[in-house]
Amino acid sequence: MNVETLSRIQFALTISFHFVFPPMTIGLGLVLVVLQTLRVRTGNPLYLDLARFWTRVFGLIFAIGVATGIPMEFQFGTNWASYARFVGDIFGSPLAIEGLYAFFMESGFLALLLFGWDRIGPRMHLFSTCMVALGAHFSAIWILVANSWMQTPAGYHLARMMKVTADGGQFPVATDLGAVPFELREIRLPPDYVVQPEDLGHVRAVVDNFREAILNPSTLDRLAHTVIGCWITGAFVVVAISAWWCLRGRHPEHARISLKIGVVLATVACVLQWIAADSTARGVARNQPTKLAAMEGLATTGPDASLGLVGWVSWRRDASGEITGIEERSLRIPGMLSVLVSGDFLHPLRARDTVVTGLQDLPSDALLRARHPGASDAEIARLRPRYWPNAPVLFQTYHLMIALGSVLTGQALLACLWWRTGRLWAVERPEVRWFLISLLAAPLMAQLALQAGWFTAEMGRQPWVVYEVLKTGDAVSPVVRAPQVLTSILLFLAIYAVLSILFVTLLLKKIREGPVPSGGGPPTGPLPLSHRSGRQTGI
């Protein structure tokens, strides 16, 4: 594999592993705010016990999340130096704000949250909890702002570094002017300028309007979609552990309270997620039509576009192995994609006339001709598939995300219904036990849905690292070599394996201990089943 592919694998590995932890801290931060608020308002010691327990879990996840996030910062300088030079003026600002304000706010108040139980009052402790939860959300906001700019860049212009002499002469920076005095200036390029490979090292993106860069066309949709996904993940972590306590008869009162809070948060978040997902998908259709066409396996342009539910997409190749199109075999709803893209749900028959562009017309001829000046029509048609994302993979990750989201929504709604009817607490009933067992898998499904969504978003942007501005292949560091990247991937795999074992071991230990009643006495409730028989087998 070449350096570009290995660098992409390395970054995907590090960010995927890191992305396991922040969604849980964001979701658990919200749960902690609820528990601390209830503690202050009611004085019920059960809320204090649960707040202490979930704070310990939060601290563990936060620590592993910080440790796994550090390598990504260095990769911009080692593997993606050309990218860092090109967008450093824009991409660096949100990351700096995230590090200076959000991260320090979160980590600073986390010390009060972890160690302030007997040192500060409940209200100050509640304030610290709110600041920690707010800091976690701020971190997500600024990271997503930076990433959204890569998806839909805005508020910038391209500029070329030139040597300018006293008489106004402009020369490329590589030109040797001898003893002629000059100064380096950034020369603004036309708005429709397309970056060419020979521009690397001389052309970069410069902020024009910071507000437009932050609030680029995809920021708000992606922010809502991702943060709500984090709430879902955190809520189902609480639901799963509480369900396990219910099944084992541990901490019955704590388990009921914890399960109720988790179920309510999961239900509200799941319902909101469908609204946010619809808005995000229409944003993708508007701003990144190539990504939408790949997600849906849509080859041709036209009205009455069908929505794929489940199936398979594969490449169609010519005799030389060159990609010429896609072939899809899937169960589809006729016209539904046009209706969703239009957003006109009150007039679905009219909405089916909405034209959705297929891969055969994407990206546009204008962009391809700008990237390849002088290319004939036949050459443009041959080059077009090289600018498509990996449609077979994208189709599956996108639909996996939707399928898992549907299952999680069903679980949350059923849990709410059974809670309101009192059936959820009848653990002796087989159907309730099986349902609680199914909830144990919910955090894993939520994590898989998040990862599938993240892969859809990132792979759908390819082959661009900055959408339709800078190609990923042009963003790789020119001096890094494939064996070096491969070695670092193996080292990361070894380190992440150790961290995974450490995290799971410590988390299981905390789950076994459960909430400790105020005063430090033994856990309340009946002994676990493994103890009733006179033997101890752990969980």
Side-chain angles (χ1 to χ4, degrees):
M1 285 187 278
N2 58 27
V3 174
E4 178 191 345
T5 303
L6 287 171
S7 295
R8 286 182 60 189
I9 290 174
Q10 186 193 68
F11 199 80
L13 170 68
T14 53
I15 199 168
S16 298
F17 190 71
H18 172 66
F19 195 46
V20 170
F21 303 100
M24 288 193 283
T25 57
I26 292 171
L28 286 181
L30 208 56
V31 173
L32 286 176
V33 170
V34 173
L35 285 169
Q36 292 275 33
T37 303
L38 292 171
R39 170 202 175 192
V40 170
R41 288 179 62 87
T42 66
N44 188 336
L46 293 176
Y47 294 128
L48 174 61
D49 302 340
L50 284 169
R52 282 177 180 268
F53 170 76
W54 288 114
T55 299
R56 293 199 300 272
V57 174
F58 180 95
L60 170 64
I61 299 172
F62 179 85
I64 301 291
V66 170
T68 56
I70 294 173
M72 290 184 298
E73 306 283 346
F74 293 104
Q75 286 178 52
F76 292 123
T78 55
N79 295 40
W80 304 99
S82 296
Y83 165 79
R85 277 194 296 269
F86 186 81
V87 301
D89 188 42
I90 300 173
F91 197 73
S93 300
L95 294 185
I97 295 172
E98 189 270 339
L100 287 173
Y101 298 100
F103 177 71
F104 279 110
M105 184 171 82
E106 184 182 11
S107 55
F109 280 99
L110 182 62
L112 287 177
L113 177 59
L114 289 174
F115 306 111
W117 296 102
D118 301 319
R119 295 176 176 83
I120 58 176
R123 293 184 183 277
M124 185 60 197
H125 211 245
L126 169 60
F127 178 74
S128 302
T129 307
C130 292
M131 290 299 101
V132 169
L134 204 58
H137 282 73
F138 279 165
S139 286
I141 288 172
W142 288 108
I143 295 293
L144 286 167
V145 162
N147 184 268
S148 296
W149 187 87
M150 297 162 65
Q151 303 280 346
T152 52
Y156 75 104
H157 70 269
L158 295 177
R160 186 193 304 277
M161 293 297 296
M162 299 287 284
K163 289 180 178 177
V164 181
T165 56
D167 59 358
Q170 298 180 359
F171 303 90
V173 290
T175 306
D176 184 6
L177 298 181
V180 177
F182 67 89
E183 62 178 0
L184 283 175
R185 287 186 190 173
E186 286 185 353
I187 306 300
R188 189 183 186 113
L189 296 171
D192 57 349
Y193 185 81
V194 176
V195 177
Q196 302 293 334
E198 55 269 23
D199 291 328
L200 299 177
H202 309 292
V203 173
R204 69 189 191 102
V206 181
V207 175
D208 269 339
N209 187 320
F210 194 57
R211 181 178 176 277
E212 286 184 8
I214 292 173
L215 298 176
N216 61 75
S218 67
T219 294
L220 296 181
D221 283 336
R222 302 183 74 247
L223 186 59
H225 194 42
T226 308
V227 169
I228 293 173
C230 297
W231 293 349
I232 293 174
T233 305
F236 274 112
V237 169
V238 174
V239 167
I241 295 176
S242 306
W244 185 79
W245 287 338
C246 289
L247 284 167
R248 303 304 299 266
R250 292 190 175 194
H251 324 292
E253 293 182 334
H254 296 92
R256 284 195 175 199
I257 293 174
S258 196
L259 187 55
K260 289 176 186 176
I261 293 174
V263 163
V264 170
L265 180 58
T267 305
V268 172
C270 284
V271 173
L272 290 176
Q273 187 65 294
W274 287 103
I275 300 172
D278 173 67
S279 179
T280 303
R282 272 188 279 118
V284 170
R286 187 170 52 253
N287 302 309
Q288 295 175 292
T290 311
K291 179 191 288 188
L292 179 76
M295 286 160 50
E296 286 294 345
L298 188 68
T300 57
T301 303
D304 203 23
S306 59
L307 180 74
L309 294 180
V310 62
W312 194 257
V313 172
S314 57
W315 292 124
R316 186 173 66 241
R317 300 176 184 270
D318 59 16
S320 64
E322 191 83 8
I323 294 173
T324 59
I326 61 170
E327 295 176 351
E328 63 87 19
R329 295 173 290 280
S330 60
L331 178 64
R332 307 185 76 87
I333 304 176
M336 195 61 196
L337 183 58
S338 288
V339 174
L340 292 175
V341 169
S342 74
D344 188 1
F345 301 109
L346 296 178
H347 306 91
L349 294 179
R350 188 173 64 195
R352 292 180 65 155
D353 294 334
T354 302
V355 174
V356 182
T357 309
L359 285 173
Q360 68 178 11
D361 296 315
L362 293 168
S364 67
D365 287 352
L367 177 68
L368 293 175
R369 292 188 188 285
R371 285 283 303 183
H372 303 277
S376 65
D377 291 344
E379 290 171 329
I380 291 295
R382 183 174 53 80
L383 288 168
R384 177 165 281 116
R386 298 181 186 179
Y387 288 83
W388 292 344
N390 193 325
V393 174
L394 218 57
F395 181 89
Q396 300 303 339
T397 56
Y398 174 61
H399 288 84
L400 176 64
M401 175 187 66
I402 295 175
L404 292 171
S406 302
V407 174
L408 291 171
T409 303
Q411 284 183 316
L413 291 174
L414 184 58
C416 250
L417 177 64
W418 280 8
W419 164 36
R420 299 305 299 171
T421 59
R423 196 175 185 179
L424 188 60
W425 316 119
V427 184
E428 69 281 0
R429 299 179 67 161
E431 70 274 15
V432 176
R433 292 190 68 82
W434 278 113
F435 178 63
L436 292 176
I437 290 173
S438 76
L439 290 179
L440 302 183
L444 179 60
M445 288 194 290
Q447 286 284 357
L448 286 175
L450 274 175
Q451 296 283 343
W454 191 251
F455 270 78
T456 302
E458 298 305 289
M459 292 185 68
R461 189 186 60 215
Q462 299 302 321
W464 307 95
V465 65
V466 179
Y467 191 66
E468 295 189 348
V469 176
L470 181 67
K471 289 193 72 176
T472 305
D474 297 335
V476 180
S477 300
V479 296
V480 73
R481 298 291 177 263
Q484 298 168 334
V485 183
L486 180 60
T487 303
S488 63
I489 290 175
L490 296 176
L491 288 174
F492 277 128
L493 282 172
I495 293 170
Y496 288 164
V498 172
L499 282 176
S500 299
I501 294 171
L502 179 66
F503 172 71
V504 172
T505 303
L506 292 176
L507 182 61
L508 290 179
K509 181 182 178 184
K510 291 185 182 301
I511 295 172
R512 287 193 201 101
E513 293 172 351
V516 178
S518 302
T524 60
L527 288 171
L529 296 176
S530 57
H531 288 243
R532 291 179 187 171
S533 60
R535 60 188 175 85
Q536 183 171 348
T537 59
I539 61 170

